[in-house]
Amino acid sequence: MGSGAEATSGGWSRRRFVGALAGGAAAVALPAPAAPRAEPGQPAPAPATEPRRPAEPSGPRPLYLGTYTSAEGGGTGIGLARYDPATGAVTGSGTLTGVADPSYLAAHPDGRTLYAVDERTDGSVTAVRRADRRILGSRGTGGAAPCHLSVHPSGHWLLSANYGSGSVAVHPIDASGALGERTALVTHSGPPGPGQQGPHAHQFVTGPDGGHVLAVDLGTDSVHSYRLDLARGTLTEVGRAHTRPGAGPRHLAFHPGGRFAYLVNEVDDTVAVCAYDADTGRLRIGAPQSTGSGAGTNYPAQILVTADGAFAYLANRGHNSLARYAVEADGARLRLLDTVPVAGDFPRQIAFSPDGRLLFAANQRSGTVSVFHVDAADGGLRLAGEPFASPVAVCALPL
């Protein structure tokens, strides 16, 4: 079965249906270092050019878990847990209710606010104050089935991608972390890829220069580059890169050097190294590479790059593995090293702990979160005990 997002019975998008069924290049970059909040209307602080290794945490750390509240066997809201940064052990601590279908989560750079998509036909995004778990309100995304969101490094803008309607949106973030009225909504255009019926925006992220934002569209086999007006929150398209027909691009991430990015192609089961021009925001997509999944059916989901830019990891749904790559030539080349069983079924999303020593994999079909120790020297992965049970686990956000 392919992995487009055409509607299915019950109002589910194709992307949800694929995940619910029983059962190269790199990725989503680590969150940018926390940036001070500038006054509204002022330019955003320049992103750091060199990766910073956070101080080693002590004591249990918070872990937030995304799910589908409308799915059979799904959760009732955002899962709350804590993890031991030394052992990787996870302990549940309840649920934050009142957020519908929170399938993707992100945190503000200052750590005070959590954001969630509400992946429903009438899509919205919700802000939650972490200190007292108070919901600060929701805002409509102007589209259907938002599946991804991210916070601009300045902390002033929330970027979201509407998968069902193929559009991207921008919302302002005020000093309290709450969201304002939408400042931009752009619907993608262009001929759909083979097997698709229209655009399906799957990710919306900030480029390493801070002035450009990029939207990955699975339905049109393209990556759109926009200039973000840092004072008004508006978008101006400055470029569009195309994959080969039928690739189905899903997620993009940058090498910490800023000159290369890695694109995951969900439909044709490949990854690609991309060259990035920070001056123009334009992306040039390279040749497809192996995900290490072999000949079986596989939908690669998300890939991460270590803070030092030495290794990358790709979540393989179907093959149920994590592919490990060596990143070479200052980010210009990926070399597949091996694959490691994910100890779960259908790893939908992966994330590093802030210090990079742990990797979390949210396994949708098995309803579990697997945690791995990351060897800083060779990038090796070692499972940290039994996976943690979490209903329809589709996102894990360790802080």
Side-chain angles (χ1 to χ4, degrees):
M1 174 176 287
S3 98
E6 315 314 328
T8 63
S9 61
W12 276 29
S13 68
R14 173 85 164 187
R15 66 185 295 276
R16 288 186 58 179
F17 187 66
V18 168
L21 290 176
V28 191
L30 291 174
R37 290 189 174 184
E39 292 301 317
Q42 296 302 310
T49 56
E50 294 297 327
R52 300 175 183 174
R53 190 170 186 84
E56 184 174 356
S58 60
R61 300 288 302 164
L63 174 66
Y64 296 94
L65 303 167
T67 187
Y68 285 117
T69 58
S70 62
E72 182 178 355
T76 57
I78 298 172
L80 305 174
R82 300 190 74 79
Y83 70 94
D84 186 316
T87 67
V90 177
T91 304
S93 57
T95 305
L96 193 158
T97 59
V99 185
D101 290 321
S103 65
Y104 205 88
L105 310 171
H108 193 280
D110 68 13
R112 295 187 297 167
T113 313
L114 180 71
Y115 300 96
V117 298
D118 306 333
E119 192 178 333
R120 296 200 162 185
T121 301
D122 187 11
S124 60
V125 284
T126 297
V128 179
R129 189 165 61 199
R130 291 185 54 217
D132 56 5
R133 300 175 183 171
R134 177 188 172 190
I135 295 177
L136 300 178
S138 299
R139 297 285 185 175
T141 60
C147 65
H148 182 271
L149 81 175
S150 63
V151 183
H152 187 271
S154 69
H156 290 314
W157 308 104
L158 184 73
L159 314 173
S160 58
N162 293 309
Y163 188 84
S165 53
S167 59
V168 292
V170 180
H171 287 83
I173 301 173
D174 69 20
S176 73
L179 300 171
E181 291 291 342
R182 192 174 59 243
T183 57
L185 177 66
V186 178
T187 300
H188 294 164
S189 61
Q196 306 295 321
Q197 295 180 3
H200 295 304
H202 215 308
Q203 185 197 31
F204 199 20
V205 294
T206 305
D209 55 283
H212 295 97
V213 291
L214 293 89
V216 180
D217 195 296
L218 184 149
T220 58
D221 291 324
S222 59
V223 179
H224 299 248
S225 294
Y226 297 96
R227 185 172 60 253
L228 173 66
D229 187 311
L230 297 175
R232 298 184 300 160
T234 54
L235 299 171
T236 303
E237 186 166 358
V238 295
R240 191 177 306 186
H242 296 279
T243 67
R244 64 180 182 174
R250 177 186 177 93
H251 271 253
L252 175 79
F254 288 90
H255 183 270
R259 297 188 300 118
F260 298 97
Y262 311 103
L263 185 64
V264 178
N265 296 312
E266 174 182 343
V267 178
D268 74 356
D269 188 20
T270 63
V271 293
V273 178
C274 308
Y276 179 69
D277 186 333
D279 291 333
T280 64
R282 293 177 179 271
L283 197 72
R284 187 173 72 252
I285 301 172
Q289 299 179 219
S290 172
T291 63
S293 63
T297 301
N298 185 61
Y299 307 112
Q302 185 165 358
I303 192 164
L304 304 176
V305 186
T306 56
D308 61 5
F311 299 98
Y313 306 91
L314 172 67
N316 281 317
R317 300 173 298 168
H319 193 248
N320 287 338
S321 67
L322 299 174
R324 179 175 61 119
Y325 296 86
V327 181
E328 301 173 336
D330 294 327
R333 186 170 62 242
L334 290 177
R335 178 168 56 90
L336 180 65
L337 297 175
D338 58 18
T339 60
V340 175
V342 76
D345 190 1
F346 222 65
R348 165 79 166 266
Q349 177 263 356
I350 55 178
F352 287 125
S353 60
D355 63 6
R357 293 178 172 89
L358 297 174
L359 184 152
F360 294 74
N363 304 306
Q364 182 175 357
R365 291 182 184 169
S366 58
T368 57
V369 176
S370 303
V371 185
F372 293 84
H373 294 282
V374 181
D375 189 302
D378 63 9
L381 298 176
R382 176 172 56 86
L383 187 65
E386 290 296 317
F388 175 74
S390 182
V392 189
V394 292
C395 185
L397 178 63
L399 297 178

